[in-house]
Structure formats: C-alpha cells, structure tokens
Amino acid sequence: MSDGGYGISPANAPTASASPAPSPVAPPDVGDVGSWASAAGHDWLVLADPDPEQLLLAAYFDYGLVDEPPARLDAAARLCGALRAELQRPIEVGVGEVSVPEVAVELEPSMLGLRIRGRRAAVLGAWTHLGELFARPDLPANAPLLPRQVNAWDRDLATHAGVTAMNLADMPIHGPDGEAGRLLSRELLAHLDPRRGEVRHVFITNDPTLVGVGWTADPPTAAPPTRPPVYLDRRPALVLCPPDDGVVLSATATPGADAYVAGFVMQSLIADLLDRMGMQARLGYEFITLRDAFYCCFALNTNDGRLGGEEVMAVHDAVVARPQPVPEALIERALELYGPSETVDDALRLRTSGRAGNVQPTADGVRRALAQIRASVHLPLRDQTEPLAKQAGYLLWKHIDEPGGDVILLHDGPQHRRDDGHPDAIKLTAHQIQAHQFKWEQRGLPRRWHPDHSMGYRWVDSTRLVMACYDPSDQYLELIDDRLRTVNLYWDEVAARPGLRAELERRGIWRLPRGTFGLIQ
C-alpha cells in the first residue's frame, strides 16, 4: 500500500504491544447520560439504559472533511458510502434466519462516525466485519458516495481553515474516481484503524459487557496523537459574500455546550430584530466544530429574499456593537434545548479531538460564549459594512489592487462569450491571475467591436493556488486559491496564445491537484 500522505507503510502495521498511556485530558463529565471506560488503550463511552432488544456499537474518529485536502477530495465520502454498504449486509442470526443491522455513517468537518444498531447477533457480526475491513482494506467498487453537506458561507470558512473538502462541497466538482479513488479511500481506512494508533478515536456501546469486545481488545501500537490547532483568526472581519446567500454574520467561540446554546440565543436575538424590521424571514443557525473553535453562521432561508447592507449593519449595531442585556428567560429557554443527545455529541467531539471542554451548559457559561461570539464576528462585505474596517479595525478580505501586468484579449467581441462567466481578457500581475469582462462598443467603418473598459473581474492569487478543475463539456479550467477565489480559463483560447500558456504553466497550474466538473456519484 502506498504512503498516501498518511505515513502508512508495512513497517507500522499493528502489532501486539502494551497499552499506551491514556490521554492527559480527562474525558468530559456526561452526567447521567453514560460513563467512560478504557480497555486496551481505547476510550469507550458506555451509554446508560441498555436496550436488550437493540444493541449499539459505534466508532468515532478524529478525522473529518477539514482534514481532507483537495488532492484527496471525495476519499472520505467514498469510504463512508462503502462502509455503509458493507456493514449493512444481511447476517445469519439463527438457522435459516437473517437480520440486517442498521448502519448510520456521519461525516462531519472534524469527525467521522459509524453506528451499528440492531439485533445482538447482527450487530456483533457487522462489528467483526468492520475489524476485518480495517485489517485488510477492501471496498466495493460501486458504492455511492455519502451525500455532501453544503455550508452557508464557504468563503468565510476558507478564511478560518483554508480550502478543504469541507468547503468544496457546494461546487459540482469531484476528485479522483475509479481505481484511483478507491485507493485513496482504502488508504484512509487503513489510516483510521484504531490498532495503528494514528488517529484518536472513541468507541460507544449501550452494553457495558462489550467494552473491549473482539478486535478492540488489541491495543494501539502507540498513543494516537492530538491534532494541532487549525489556523483560526478570531478577529472581526469583512468577507465577500453573494447577496443571494442571505448571510447575516458568523462568529466563533470556545467549543462545548455553552457555545452551542449561545448560538440559539443569538439566533433568537437576530430573528426578533429582523421581525421588527418587517422582514418575515426564517433565520437558520449553522454550527461547525473545528476542534479548537465552535463556528456558527446565521443566514436567511434562501427562499426568503435578499439581505441588504443596511439590514446587516442594523443587526451588527443592535446585537454586536451596542447589545442590550439578554433576558434571563431567553437563556433559560435556550438551555432547555440542550438534551442528552447534544451531551453525547459534544462529549464525542471533545474526546475524539483530545480537547477539554464542558458538556453541561450554564447561564453564566452561555453569557461568556455570547461575548466571544460578539468579539469574533465576520460580516458580509457590503458598501454599508466596509467602513467598519477603519472605524472598528475589522479585517478586510477584499481585492488587493496590484499594479502592472499586460491585458491579453481573448476574442474580438462579446458575441464570443459562451456563458455569463466567460472572460474577455486575462491579465497577469506579479501574484494574480485576473479574468476580465469588458464593456464593448462598436466603432469605425466598417463597424467593429472595441473593448471600452473593464466592467469587473475575478482573480486568484497565483502563488497560493490549491486546485485546478477541468470541465470536459465546456472545456474550461477553473483555478482555485486558498481563499476559495476562482477564475475560469477557456483552454482553446489560452492554447492559441503561446505566451499566455507558457506563463500560466510557469506558475504551476499543471502541478496542482486536479478535480473534474460533473455529476457527483
């Protein structure tokens, strides 16, 4: 098996060894929901109230979409789809009797989970098969990919964590498929094997007698490492965002129960203000745990209209800059939304990542989380919000005007545009690739089209490109940089200009990870 970027080789395959030392971070207190146990160096969460009719065995791993770089796009989604297909096969539970276990697969930004539930014999059979798959990674060729989860504000997430499978989900591109894609998924499966000790993990059961069952009795070869923090600039910022996306704001806080509940409080405050402004809109609350930060984003339902810069500033002024005291009753109502399932979810995210945190929210903790949210707000960049860069020191994520460079015209009139995004010219500066569209005018006799002035352009930082995606039907190449900026290059036009092609190739476009536009399997 190839190294595949995970450091996997036969030399570090699982072997018998003493149990590694436990994590120095104590597991979060889950109260009456369950209890923690350890067996052979593996963490177990034993849920209370075992169900004699429905056994549960589960495994959660400290690996998610934020850990999947563009070069490995779809590896985790393909693996999850294949594991679900493999583990929910019928299993013989008696003479002439079979049972199909219920298999749920979760692929989050920072965690991957497998839950197997059903009749005891069926669950134990599927669990044994999971251990076999870890030992000899072999996946079906035709299993569908796990559906992608779309985020509210992908470009904002890029300012926190760069470009990964997490924020490429909304783009109709896919990574390597066929045998190359299966190889990436098999490498990931081997990397996740708890016995290798390469990825932190937690097992779950609702039967305490099954702690250490089967292959989980084998200790890991080493204590799984704790992943380093993802870069997170928590300063307030202004970030590009299409008006149709309906984003109001995003923010971060310390992970845990208090931040989760504070998000509901913030949602109520913003929704109430929008109602008083006459906007009868549904406000969504999206949250993403990025190990060291709880990211939350508040956006209107896409069918509920646009949100202008005036409305965004009104929310900022009332909820962030000059907030009124939050009523105790509102916090108490939000605390009631936090139940046993949320406790388990937060405990899993904290324990799998090796982070400390609280899974028992309090009113004081919620208020502290609200203060963190207000101190780290990201707003959509609009004409009305841009003054905050000078007035309040907000970071400004916008175009850097870079002088110099020649404009290379791609065609001789607007009639050659194949779609609304087709550029008329490319401009190359020291660090940028710009794709311009012009205002065209007809002049002279005979009448001919002439470019009058640029009406706007898209650009990428050519020193920070992360992916090149090809559209085989329209034959254009889309370049993506580390802030999710994109430009499209129609390759027949580039190829007809040797100087332009040579300069683009000198900037390394063919050395980038490749993606392909088209239907996602």
Side-chain angles (χ1 to χ4, degrees):
M1 181 176 294
S2 68
D3 173 81
Y6 297 120
I8 300 171
S9 67
N12 58 9
T15 57
S17 66
S19 299
S23 169
V25 177
D29 180 9
V30 294
D32 297 334
V33 173
S35 59
W36 293 97
S38 180
H42 304 289
D43 283 328
W44 283 82
L45 176 58
V46 182
L47 299 179
D49 299 324
D51 185 343
E53 301 298 327
Q54 292 287 306
L55 177 64
L56 169 68
L57 282 170
Y60 282 80
F61 302 91
D62 185 30
Y63 184 93
L65 293 170
V66 74
D67 306 304
E68 185 168 277
R72 292 181 167 270
L73 181 62
D74 295 334
R78 181 176 290 103
L79 172 61
C80 288
L83 287 176
R84 182 168 57 187
E86 279 290 307
L87 297 178
Q88 61 186 10
R89 291 182 175 182
I91 294 176
E92 187 173 351
V93 295
V95 178
E97 185 181 6
V98 297
S99 178
V100 179
E102 177 187 338
V103 178
V105 184
E106 302 170 32
L107 181 54
E108 297 185 359
S110 60
M111 189 169 68
L112 186 156
L114 295 164
R115 284 177 175 258
I116 308 172
R117 194 177 189 94
R119 296 177 61 178
R120 187 178 188 87
V123 171
L124 290 174
W127 190 255
T128 299
H129 186 38
L130 177 59
E132 295 168 348
L133 290 171
F134 279 130
R136 297 183 59 186
D138 188 20
L139 302 172
N142 56 353
L145 275 67
L146 199 69
R148 293 178 173 182
Q149 180 177 341
V150 178
N151 307 301
W153 198 2
D154 288 316
R155 182 166 283 181
D156 185 51
L157 286 168
T159 69
H160 289 298
V163 175
T164 67
M166 173 181 66
N167 48 9
L168 288 172
D170 201 24
M171 302 179 71
I173 58 176
H174 55 86
D177 54 13
E179 187 55 34
R182 289 183 64 205
L183 175 61
L184 292 178
S185 296
R186 288 198 299 266
E187 289 175 343
L188 175 56
L189 179 58
H191 176 57
L192 295 177
D193 185 351
R195 293 164 293 190
R196 288 183 178 269
E198 295 175 359
V199 178
R200 290 184 58 87
H201 53 275
V202 171
F203 298 130
I204 304 178
T205 185
N206 60 351
D207 183 347
T209 67
L210 293 183
V211 171
V213 65
W215 52 271
T216 66
D218 298 332
T221 58
T226 299
R227 291 183 183 274
V230 173
Y231 166 76
L232 287 165
D233 192 330
R234 304 192 188 189
R235 291 175 292 178
L238 303 167
V239 182
L240 291 171
C241 180
D244 292 340
D245 286 1
V247 171
V248 183
L249 60 85
S250 75
T252 59
T254 300
D258 293 322
Y260 176 80
V261 175
F264 283 108
V265 174
M266 183 64 73
Q267 181 187 27
S268 296
L269 293 172
I270 297 173
D272 180 63
L273 177 61
L274 293 177
D275 284 345
R276 285 186 275 117
M277 293 166 58
M279 297 188 66
Q280 302 300 316
R282 292 163 292 176
L283 182 71
Y285 163 32
E286 172 187 88
F287 65 91
I288 296 173
T289 300
L290 296 173
R291 295 193 180 92
D292 299 284
F294 178 91
Y295 172 90
C296 53
C297 183
F298 305 93
L300 301 184
N301 184 289
T302 53
N303 296 322
D304 288 351
R306 297 161 61 99
L307 193 72
E310 296 87 353
E311 290 84 6
V312 172
M313 274 303 297
V315 171
H316 170 269
D317 292 344
V319 179
V320 177
R322 295 183 292 275
Q324 297 296 313
V326 179
E328 289 288 344
L330 177 56
I331 293 180
E332 291 301 323
R333 286 199 304 271
L335 285 168
E336 292 173 359
L337 298 173
Y338 194 87
S341 63
E342 287 76 20
T343 299
V344 171
D345 289 345
D346 277 339
L348 280 174
R349 294 187 185 103
L350 291 170
R351 191 57 177 167
T352 56
S353 65
R355 269 60 172 179
N358 174 36
V359 297
Q360 306 293 338
T362 64
D364 288 342
V366 170
R367 292 186 184 279
R368 287 192 294 270
L370 282 171
Q372 292 176 341
I373 288 173
R374 292 189 178 107
S376 60
V377 160
H378 283 194
L379 299 177
L381 178 59
R382 304 281 187 264
D383 291 341
Q384 295 83 358
T385 62
E386 187 167 350
L388 289 171
K390 291 184 177 180
Q391 297 170 3
Y394 277 41
L395 293 176
L396 190 58
W397 291 94
K398 66 177 295 187
H399 175 64
I400 301 171
D401 189 16
E402 189 170 65
D406 296 325
V407 175
I408 303 166
L409 205 61
L410 298 177
H411 42 246
D412 57 8
Q415 72 275 17
H416 296 292
R417 291 179 187 163
R418 300 170 197 172
D419 54 56
D420 291 340
H422 192 154
D424 297 319
I426 299 296
K427 181 179 180 181
L428 302 176
T429 66
H431 303 93
Q432 295 177 6
I433 301 172
Q434 302 175 3
H436 288 253
Q437 281 195 332
F438 287 113
K439 170 68 175 177
W440 293 83
E441 292 185 352
Q442 286 190 322
R443 303 174 190 160
L445 292 174
R447 306 289 282 175
R448 292 182 178 177
W449 287 108
H450 293 269
D452 184 66
H453 62 274
S454 177
M455 297 175 59
Y457 60 93
R458 304 174 70 91
W459 69 285
V460 292
D461 186 334
S462 60
T463 67
R464 305 179 71 90
L465 295 173
V466 298
M467 196 173 195
C469 302
Y470 186 66
D471 187 317
S473 59
D474 291 332
Q475 297 187 340
Y476 68 81
L477 191 70
E478 181 170 88
L479 303 179
I480 305 173
D481 71 10
D482 67 343
R483 289 297 177 261
L484 213 61
R485 295 177 291 244
T486 63
V487 296
N488 294 344
L489 304 172
Y490 286 78
W491 198 246
D492 58 333
E493 296 177 336
V494 172
R497 292 155 180 81
L500 173 60
R501 176 174 181 168
E503 177 58 21
L504 290 172
E505 291 176 343
R506 188 190 69 79
R507 298 190 185 202
I509 63 172
W510 300 132
R511 296 191 296 271
L512 296 170
R514 293 292 296 273
T516 305
F517 281 89
L519 294 176
I520 308 300
Q521 179 186 354

